[in-house]
Amino acid sequence: MRVKVLISAEEIAQRVQELGREISGDYQGRDLLVIGILKGAVVFMSDLIRQISVPLEVDFMAISSYGQATETSGVVQLLKDLDQPIEGKHVLIVEDIIDSGLTLSYLHQLLQSRNPATLKTAVLLDKPERRRTEFTPDYVGFTIPDEFVIGYGLDYNHKHRELPYVGVLEN
Ligand code: IMP
Ligand code: MG
């Protein structure tokens, strides 16, 4: 396996710190509920929350993913719901990447219907060329071209999530 590094660990750390500062400023004086989308978001989320200076809680959701393919089926299915109600809370959804946008628009709609005080989204990576539904995340780490990426939480066939950088698999 050869991997071409697209975004280095240092670049990621720098950008995550900036995002943390921005989010801390935007939520000044409020408590935050950070919701990570399993499994891809766990690495980004664990780094991001340590750069946020407002009080926060975490929770997780899981939705059906691509399985072994690199293309979405277009059908999103809820596999694990939150442990707690979110009514009246300031909620930030954290996701590894937005691609077609189907996952985030589904989750946003679902959580909005539970009446949070505010609802925003943060993604490490954005592939805007691939969008199949209109959705713009509130916080974006990096905008990347239409390439399938791995590492820093992102997998191919359940593997490579542990890589400290974001890269592209080369054969
Ligand atoms: P969307 O619903 O098409 O926006 O897809 C979002 C989900 O697809 C993410 O949570 C990832 O799990 C997965 N995904 C999309 N693009 C990539 C990629 O380049 N590498 C790894 N996973 C990806
Ligand atoms: Mg995912």
Side-chain angles (χ1 to χ4, degrees):
M1 176 194 88
R2 287 181 50 204
V3 184
K4 180 182 83 188
V5 177
L6 202 63
I7 311 168
S8 71
E10 293 72 25
E11 289 173 294
I12 295 171
Q14 174 65 37
R15 185 70 187 119
V16 170
Q17 189 177 59
E18 288 171 10
L19 286 174
R21 287 212 185 108
E22 192 184 341
I23 291 167
S24 302
D26 292 351
Y27 288 91
Q28 207 57 246
R30 304 184 209 167
D31 286 21
L32 192 54
L33 175 62
V34 181
I35 297 178
I37 309 307
L38 297 170
K39 303 167 186 155
V42 294
V43 179
F44 174 43
M45 178 176 172
S46 61
D47 282 346
L48 183 64
I49 59 173
R50 285 177 285 174
Q51 301 296 333
I52 297 177
S53 57
V54 300
L56 63 83
E57 292 180 22
V58 298
D59 204 343
F60 295 94
M61 289 179 101
I63 42 117
S64 62
S65 71
Y66 293 166
Q68 306 210 337
T70 58
E71 279 282 324
T72 183
S73 61
V75 184
V76 181
Q77 194 196 347
L78 188 64
L79 300 178
K80 185 221 172 288
D81 205 340
L82 299 172
D83 294 339
Q84 48 171 317
I86 59 167
E87 190 170 349
K89 297 195 173 173
H90 296 286
V91 174
L92 179 66
I93 304 173
V94 175
E95 175 62 312
D96 51 1
I97 186 167
I98 180 167
D99 187 41
S100 72
L102 294 169
T103 304
L104 271 182
S105 54
Y106 167 82
L107 287 170
H108 193 276
Q109 236 180 324
L110 179 68
L111 295 186
Q112 192 61 62
S113 74
R114 298 178 186 180
N115 300 313
T118 61
L119 181 60
K120 287 193 184 187
T121 51
V123 299
L124 178 73
L125 305 171
D126 184 1
K127 280 198 250 185
E129 284 168 50
R130 302 249 312 167
R131 209 70 97 246
R132 282 166 56 188
T133 176
E134 221 174 284
F135 194 93
T136 309
D138 298 285
Y139 305 99
V140 174
F142 302 90
T143 299
I144 61 167
D146 180 10
E147 282 190 282
F148 194 82
V149 291
I150 54 158
Y152 199 69
L154 293 118
D155 73 304
Y156 172 63
N157 210 355
H158 309 295
K159 297 227 173 359
H160 316 303
R161 295 192 197 274
E162 72 280 15
L163 296 175
Y165 50 83
V166 171
V168 180
L169 272 179
E170 295 180 319
N171 298 313

